[in-house]
Amino acid sequence: MQSQEVGHPLLDNGLRETHGVNAANALMRELSITYEGDSLRIGNAIQENMTTFDSAFERSIAPTLEALGFVRSNDYFRLDGQLQQFRDKTGATFSARPDWHHVELDLYVETKSGTLNCKTTVKTAASAEARARRDCSLRGQPFGTYHMLQNQFSHSRYKQAAVQSALTPQNMIVVFAERVPYATMIAYAKVGLVAIHLDALPQYLQYIRFARRGLPVQWNLPYPEESATFVL
């Protein structure tokens, strides 16, 4: 297997941003950093399958999900080997990439740290994001995480509901870091989205295990303070 001096985008780009291209290449040579396929070699040590995360939140919950048997998903949903296309309510198509995959149960998980926005279509989200970026630029402010959560279609309840509708909640579930307020859960349910919180995920996995075996089981997410239960 042939080694090359540069090749891992995160490490290469990070070094180049902080040191410049020439200095970065020199530093990589000094540290004996090379690549063999997807593996990183530093001297004689090899680190396999470097996991990347989209946010600090995703990195923080990784140990919990890995302990439950999930692995990081770095590919988009596919159907018969082809990139799977989903549709918003206007018929516009989009693709989607889950955060985690439970290989044994073939269950995908999308993790979220905050309330999903109400952008209904790919177009309305793109327009809202463009306006937000323009406003940030005029104010001399960065377009940060807050603006992404408020405007991007990837953080829309309608997008997640469309994906889940095509795949079913037994194959793709949205998991929030904290328990979702009851009123918000009602709002999600009204657009067809089934969601749970991280602490409920182990029990949800048990439900999926029984369902995969064809047993007649149901999933209950109780809200005792509201004398209510969400049933799947």
Side-chain angles (χ1 to χ4, degrees):
M1 186 177 295
Q2 186 176 6
S3 297
Q4 56 186 33
E5 187 173 82
V6 294
H8 192 280
L10 291 180
L11 183 58
D12 293 348
N13 292 340
L15 287 173
R16 287 167 180 164
E17 287 176 2
T18 56
H19 293 76
V21 175
N22 293 334
N25 287 336
L27 180 59
M28 292 177 71
R29 286 193 296 270
E30 180 181 345
L31 296 176
S32 300
I33 297 176
T34 55
Y35 302 92
E36 296 181 357
D38 293 330
S39 302
L40 167 67
R41 179 185 290 276
I42 303 178
N44 293 322
I46 292 181
Q47 180 175 343
E48 300 283 352
N49 301 323
M50 294 182 68
T51 302
T52 60
F53 299 93
D54 295 332
S55 66
F57 159 69
E58 290 184 358
R59 183 180 296 277
S60 70
I61 65 172
T64 300
L65 288 160
E66 289 168 350
L68 292 173
F70 286 92
V71 295
R72 183 72 173 157
S73 177
N74 292 314
D75 196 9
Y76 287 81
F77 285 112
R78 294 186 176 274
L79 183 64
D80 297 328
Q82 302 298 316
L83 191 66
Q84 186 167 0
Q85 295 294 316
F86 304 93
R87 294 182 182 275
D88 67 15
K89 70 176 187 177
T90 67
T93 60
F94 62 91
S95 56
R97 179 174 65 85
D99 294 322
W100 297 89
H101 182 215
H102 198 291
V103 178
E104 176 197 348
L105 300 176
D106 197 21
L107 173 69
Y108 291 94
V109 158
E110 179 74 12
T111 52
K112 295 297 180 184
S113 60
T115 304
L116 297 173
N117 69 53
C118 297
K119 301 300 181 289
T120 57
T121 67
V122 174
K123 184 177 180 179
T124 56
S127 297
E129 181 177 350
R131 287 194 300 271
R133 287 185 180 276
R134 184 170 58 252
D135 291 344
C136 286
S137 178
L138 291 174
R139 293 188 176 96
Q141 299 174 345
F143 182 84
T145 301
Y146 169 80
H147 304 95
M148 295 178 190
L149 295 175
Q150 292 295 310
N151 298 286
Q152 290 182 343
F153 196 59
S154 58
H155 300 292
S156 164
R157 63 191 65 182
Y158 290 90
K159 183 238 182 175
Q160 299 301 333
V163 173
Q164 191 180 70
S165 175
L167 300 175
T168 78
Q170 288 78 17
N171 293 309
M172 181 273 191
I173 189 72
V174 177
V175 178
F176 287 89
E178 304 292 339
R179 195 165 185 265
V180 179
Y182 180 72
T184 305
M185 283 290 284
I186 290 292
Y188 291 158
K190 286 182 177 179
V191 302
L193 178 63
V194 176
I196 64 174
H197 51 273
L198 189 58
D199 287 346
L201 185 55
Q203 288 79 18
Y204 192 79
L205 294 181
Q206 288 296 91
Y207 157 71
I208 294 298
R209 282 192 175 91
F210 289 132
R212 292 284 189 266
R213 295 171 183 170
L215 299 175
V217 292
Q218 69 179 26
W219 163 253
N220 299 317
L221 185 63
Y223 277 75
E225 69 278 11
E226 301 289 342
S227 300
T229 300
F230 289 92
V231 179
L232 180 61

